[in-house]
């Protein structure tokens, strides 16, 4: 029994020290810099969401896929994935384009969720996503802000 307890304690210490071997990363900075229409199907709209991704770290971020979920006014609106891959060198930035889909049902939920007194120039949004990079290399991000939907195009 003593050997089992000793072995368990040793394994726990090794696992805690292993966490210290992985460098701590600052979160990446993500900003939506553009939205372009894409060809759509009958009951959906598609857009290319362009993101400026900034790496404020001393190490390169390698990614092999991107996923996004967009929530507007507290409700899911759009999601998208891309299998693009790349490398974001230390202290650098790049533009990543991700196609997203908005179903007619999502638009209906958004419309029904708006109150009659709510204005379209200050809708809160949350953009969640990840740059996939394997088990220990995936970088998750969140961007929050407000949308101005008064005109024909969204201003981020």
């Amino acid at each position: 029994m003593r050997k089992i307890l000793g072995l368990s304690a040793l394994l726990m210490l090794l696992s805690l020290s292993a966490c210290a071997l992985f460098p701590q990363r600052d979160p990446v900075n993500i900003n939506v810099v553009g939205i372009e229409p894409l060809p759509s199907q009958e009951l959906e709209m598609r857009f290319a969401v362009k993101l400026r991704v900034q790496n404020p770290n001393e190490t390169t971020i390698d990614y092999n896929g991107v996923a996004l979920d967009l929530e507007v006014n507290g409700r899911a609106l759009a999601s998208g994935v891309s299998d693009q891959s790349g490398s974001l060198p230390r202290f650098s930035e790049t533009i990543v384009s991700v196609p997203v889909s908005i179903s007619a049902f999502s638009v209906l939920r958004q419309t029904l969720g708006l109150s009659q007194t709510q204005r379209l120039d200050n809708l809160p949004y949350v953009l969640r996503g990840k740059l996939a990079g394997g088990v220990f290399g995936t970088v998750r991000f969140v961007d929050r802000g407000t949308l101005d939907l008064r005109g024909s195009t969204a201003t981020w």
Side-chain angles (χ1 to χ4, degrees):
M1 183 70 176
R2 256 185 168 182
K3 287 183 180 183
I4 292 174
L5 287 175
L7 183 60
S8 296
L10 180 63
L11 287 174
M12 190 167 67
L13 284 173
L14 286 174
S15 66
L16 289 174
S17 65
C19 291
L21 296 175
F22 297 111
Q24 294 293 321
R25 286 188 180 167
D26 290 326
V28 295
N29 299 317
I30 303 289
N31 292 304
V32 176
V33 295
I35 298 176
E36 296 177 357
L38 293 173
S40 302
Q41 298 297 317
E42 292 83 22
L43 290 176
E44 73 173 358
M45 293 181 291
R46 292 189 42 85
F47 297 93
V49 175
K50 294 188 179 222
L51 304 172
R52 179 174 309 281
V53 183
Q54 297 176 329
N55 179 6
N57 295 288
E58 295 180 20
T59 58
T60 298
I61 296 174
D62 295 314
Y63 62 94
N64 58 8
V66 184
L68 294 179
D69 288 310
L70 176 62
E71 183 180 289
V72 175
N73 207 27
R75 292 178 175 80
L77 178 64
S79 64
V81 294
S82 173
D83 67 350
Q84 64 187 303
S85 61
S87 186
L88 189 55
R90 61 189 291 273
F91 298 105
S92 68
E93 62 183 41
T94 190
I95 301 292
V96 177
S97 181
V98 181
V100 298
S101 299
I102 303 173
S103 74
F105 299 110
S106 293
V107 172
L108 183 61
R109 273 194 308 268
Q110 288 292 331
T111 305
L112 293 175
L114 292 174
S115 68
Q116 293 196 359
T117 60
Q118 191 168 12
R119 297 173 41 193
L120 295 178
D121 64 343
N122 199 23
L123 292 174
Y125 77 87
V126 178
L127 179 73
R128 291 182 178 86
K130 68 178 179 178
L131 296 172
V135 177
F136 298 110
T138 296
V139 177
R140 296 185 183 278
F141 57 86
V142 176
D143 182 39
R144 289 178 165 79
T146 57
L147 295 172
D148 184 351
L149 299 177
R150 289 176 294 183
S152 60
T153 60
T155 303
W156 300 80

